[in-house]
Amino acid sequence: MARRLYGIPLSGHVHRVRLFLSILKLDYSFVEASMQSPEVLKLNPLGQIPILEDGDIILTDSNAILVYLAKTYAPDSSWLPEDALGAARVQKWFSIAAGELRYGPAMARAATLWKRPDDITPAQVKAATLLTFMNDELKQRPFLAGDMPTLADLSCYAYIKRAPEGGVSLAPYSAVQQWLERIEALPDFIPMPEASAFGL
């Protein structure tokens, strides 16, 4: 069965899927493709990455892909809790990943790396608010949704790790830094590429 992941290495959305595929020890081919490339637009007219092909199944949206992978290949694991409270906590962080994370650290990074005319100051302010919130949460528990790593952590890791590429320092947030270290200590962890490795 052919399994392919479409995207670019510097996308945090793509990295969260690559990380989970690695943790699950699933073989796949990586197809480097930008959002407006013909192959992406054919599979996803919205022009968004990543896209996962798993046999005849085509999935878009990184968090939806994470849910699919957990339910299909790790159904009895703690990655996606079955209890109501655990599931709700993961969903909360999915929403944060699509909201505050995207419009805070991710946007500040994108504006910096790709030299977009966006004013990054509002994104940096949002990032500081989010990091303060995350830091307070992580003082109470080792992972975002509880005592064990879940999809919540994978959905947030990449853009937090690379927040400094958008001019957002992680130095004031010791609990966040310790959380990053815990994610990086997971078996079969793969790092989020640095922009400098691509000449950015």
Side-chain angles (χ1 to χ4, degrees):
M1 181 175 66
R3 188 180 295 115
R4 298 183 184 87
L5 180 66
Y6 296 79
I8 59 172
L10 284 177
S11 166
H13 290 75
V14 171
H15 178 265
R16 63 183 66 154
V17 176
R18 295 186 85 174
L19 176 55
F20 199 34
L21 286 166
S22 178
I23 289 171
L24 295 176
K25 297 179 170 57
L26 295 176
D27 293 329
Y28 69 99
S29 299
F30 184 67
V31 181
E32 190 162 342
S34 65
M35 291 186 288
Q36 296 304 311
S37 63
E39 56 264 61
V40 165
L41 291 173
K42 180 180 178 181
L43 294 169
N44 182 6
L46 293 177
Q48 297 172 346
I49 54 174
I51 300 168
L52 178 71
E53 281 187 316
D54 195 13
D56 295 331
I57 296 170
I58 298 174
L59 289 168
T60 61
D61 183 87
S62 58
N63 290 335
I65 294 170
L66 292 180
V67 169
Y68 166 80
L69 291 173
K71 289 287 191 180
T72 304
Y73 298 106
D76 298 319
S77 71
S78 62
W79 288 108
L80 187 59
E82 292 292 337
D83 66 286
L85 182 57
R89 285 176 173 166
V90 170
Q91 180 58 54
K92 178 184 85 168
W93 286 102
F94 277 174
S95 296
I96 289 172
E100 289 84 354
L101 183 68
R102 178 183 176 188
Y103 294 105
M107 184 172 288
R109 175 177 176 267
T112 301
L113 296 185
W114 284 279
K115 298 177 174 58
R116 294 177 179 169
D118 313 57
D119 178 7
I120 69 169
T121 301
Q124 290 172 333
V125 170
K126 286 183 174 69
T129 300
L130 171 60
L131 284 163
T132 299
F133 174 75
M134 288 184 73
N135 204 63
D136 290 342
E137 292 277 300
L138 288 164
K139 288 177 181 176
Q140 303 173 47
R141 61 189 69 88
F143 296 98
L144 293 176
D147 294 332
M148 299 288 290
T150 67
L151 298 183
D153 301 286
L154 304 190
S155 72
C156 293
Y157 168 82
Y159 288 123
I160 296 298
K161 178 65 177 182
R162 294 290 172 237
E165 293 179 342
V168 178
S169 174
L170 297 177
Y173 312 105
S174 60
V176 170
Q177 293 180 62
Q178 292 164 11
W179 166 74
L180 291 172
E181 292 173 358
R182 285 190 285 272
I183 301 301
E184 291 159 7
L186 293 173
D188 299 296
F189 170 84
I190 56 171
M192 172 66 179
E194 294 185 19
S196 60
F198 294 81
L200 296 173

